[in-house]
Amino acid sequence: MINIIQEDIKNILKSTDSGYFKGKKILIFGGTGIVGQYFLLFFLCLQKKASVSGLTIIIKNKLPKYLNFLKKNKKVKIIQCNIMNYNFSKIEKYDVIIFSGGYGQPSKFLENPLETIQINTNILIKFFSKLKSTGKFLYISSSEIYNNNNKKKITENDIGCTNTNNTRAAYIEAKRCGEAIVNTFIQKYKIDAKSIRLCLAYGPGVKKNDGRVLNEFIMKSIKNKYLTVKDSGIAIRRYIYISDAIKMMINILICGKQSIYNVAGKERTTIAQIAKKIGKILEIKVKFQKKDSLAGAPKNISLSLDRYENEFGRQKLTSLNRGLNKTIKWYQAL
């Protein structure tokens, strides 16, 4: 099943300039999440080409079985720990740090609100202390900070207006504060760092228990041979296939001119349309319940890619149909 991801990695290598990473030491916090896995396997390929000089991943849980081959790779350092009480003096300095750890699933950050805040504040600051003065830092933020902003086209100059008593407030405010910390290091200490407002990345690499809507739809469809959507599915989304997101983030990391970037899909869809597409691929029935959208979940997520495309050119992204087919194959392999 790792071949499904490696096929994407080959395409990423073909469409990005990886020369910058030659001789660099790389640290990935959150190496088993969907974003972390793709970065990990991207840098692993560069390491095989004698480009990357060192590769370290920090993870909380055990490696997935399909990544166990990394344990035999003496050039990859694996630190499995609870980052909340880890001794940072054991971590050396790195040329590139990818901060993709923490809780991204709503069920996880709703269950661990204080830890979510701490990871994106205190722990984030500690990781900056492990970056070389000439290094590059990539912070994976979230489109959730735009919650309750219903503009048709949301730019990086916009922001949401979520109250602090919102059920998702701990996650939203943690990411907002994380971005403020990143900008402080940029402005005060002249660190080369970028914040990525990532919106609904999906694809191979997700875990069985990932409770995010699209993944839950696929898992339930495969298991039950039918799908029931808990609401009317009118919420608007623009999903981005993971390999497209990684390509964009690599370009931003290497030579982005701004401190904050939206990374999102272009193809406008609704939750109902997603469910129907999955049903069509798997040839199952899909039913909808006549309810409002789930409490706290944003009703419209439509991010502008103008800033990115003005720098790097117009993007031709993976179609939702193709991305869903690959994601379904991944889950079937799981």
Side-chain angles (χ1 to χ4, degrees):
M1 59 190 296
I2 191 69
N3 292 335
I4 300 174
I5 298 179
Q6 288 176 331
E7 179 185 334
D8 286 338
I9 298 299
K10 289 178 182 178
N11 291 329
I12 294 171
L13 287 166
K14 290 177 183 177
S15 55
T16 54
D17 181 6
S18 56
Y20 167 79
F21 299 109
K22 187 173 183 178
K24 300 293 192 295
K25 292 174 64 177
I26 314 291
L27 172 64
I28 302 171
F29 169 51
T32 57
I34 183 172
V35 172
Q37 282 186 61
Y38 267 71
F39 271 118
L40 165 62
L41 293 171
F42 169 78
F43 288 123
L44 190 64
C45 284
L46 293 184
Q47 192 179 60
K48 289 178 180 177
K49 296 179 180 180
S51 179
V52 170
S53 67
L55 182 56
T56 298
I57 60 170
I58 298 179
I59 58 177
K60 184 176 183 179
N61 302 311
K62 292 181 180 179
L63 287 171
K65 289 182 179 179
Y66 56 85
L67 290 180
N68 276 340
F69 70 92
L70 292 172
K71 295 178 182 178
K72 299 179 182 179
N73 189 331
K74 295 181 180 180
K75 294 182 179 179
V76 177
K77 184 177 181 181
I78 302 169
I79 301 174
Q80 185 184 347
C81 68
N82 183 343
I83 200 65
M84 301 300 296
N85 51 35
Y86 189 71
N87 183 356
F88 270 73
S89 65
K90 296 180 180 179
I91 303 175
E92 53 190 323
K93 295 267 188 176
Y94 289 84
D95 298 292
V96 175
I97 295 179
I98 310 289
F99 189 101
S100 64
Y103 301 111
Q105 299 178 45
S107 60
K108 295 290 186 181
F109 63 67
L110 290 172
E111 185 181 343
N112 302 279
L114 292 179
E115 192 170 329
T116 296
I117 292 170
Q118 288 179 295
I119 287 173
N120 288 282
T121 54
N122 297 338
I123 300 300
L124 175 61
I125 291 170
K126 289 182 179 181
F127 271 103
F128 266 106
S129 71
K130 297 303 172 182
L131 183 71
K132 293 181 181 178
S133 60
T134 57
K136 293 181 182 290
F137 197 105
L138 195 70
Y139 173 65
I140 311 302
S141 183
S142 171
S143 62
E144 288 264 359
I145 68 164
Y146 294 126
N147 197 299
N148 285 333
N149 185 327
N150 292 314
K151 286 177 64 176
K152 290 183 179 180
K153 205 173 186 181
I154 302 173
T155 74
E156 290 85 350
N157 294 323
D158 295 314
I159 204 69
C161 53
T162 304
N163 203 318
T164 51
N165 63 2
N166 184 284
T167 54
R168 295 173 178 243
Y171 181 74
I172 295 167
E173 299 305 325
K175 290 299 184 182
R176 194 196 310 270
C177 190
E179 288 188 15
I181 290 168
V182 171
N183 285 323
T184 298
F185 276 95
I186 294 170
Q187 295 161 9
K188 188 172 179 64
Y189 302 105
K190 310 303 178 187
I191 297 298
D192 187 349
K194 311 290 192 309
S195 292
I196 304 296
R197 291 175 179 170
L198 183 60
C199 180
L200 301 171
Y202 75 100
V206 289
K207 299 179 178 70
K208 277 186 179 181
N209 62 349
D210 192 309
R212 281 170 280 203
V213 173
L214 183 149
N215 301 317
E216 186 178 8
F217 282 179
I218 294 174
M219 276 299 292
K220 286 184 175 179
S221 298
I222 293 172
K223 181 180 179 181
N224 301 327
K225 309 301 181 185
Y226 68 89
L227 175 61
T228 300
V229 181
K230 295 178 181 179
D231 64 7
S232 57
I234 61 173
I236 298 169
R237 298 289 184 265
R238 293 182 191 269
Y239 283 91
I240 183 167
Y241 187 65
I242 182 61
S243 65
D244 294 329
I246 297 294
K247 290 176 193 176
M248 294 173 67
M249 288 191 278
I250 290 170
N251 288 333
I252 291 167
L253 173 68
I254 296 173
C255 55
K257 298 176 182 177
Q258 303 292 329
S259 62
I260 299 170
Y261 288 86
N262 288 336
V263 171
K266 293 182 178 183
E267 194 172 343
R268 183 183 184 276
T269 188
T270 64
I271 297 297
Q273 289 170 327
I274 288 282
K276 289 175 182 177
K277 285 178 183 291
I278 293 170
K280 186 176 181 180
I281 294 169
L282 290 171
E283 299 180 339
I284 61 167
K285 290 183 178 181
V286 180
K287 297 180 181 180
F288 298 88
Q289 296 178 359
K290 294 181 179 180
K291 296 180 180 180
D292 292 332
S293 57
L294 299 178
K299 295 180 181 179
N300 177 27
I301 303 179
S302 298
L303 272 57
S304 168
L305 290 183
D306 288 352
R307 174 173 290 182
Y308 181 86
E309 292 190 325
N310 286 339
E311 281 190 45
F312 300 100
R314 191 164 180 81
Q315 299 300 295
K316 184 177 180 181
L317 303 178
T318 303
S319 71
L320 192 54
N321 280 332
R322 185 169 186 272
L324 285 174
N325 270 287
K326 294 194 74 169
T327 309
I328 287 170
K329 285 180 180 178
W330 171 264
Y331 269 110
Q332 288 171 330
L334 278 179

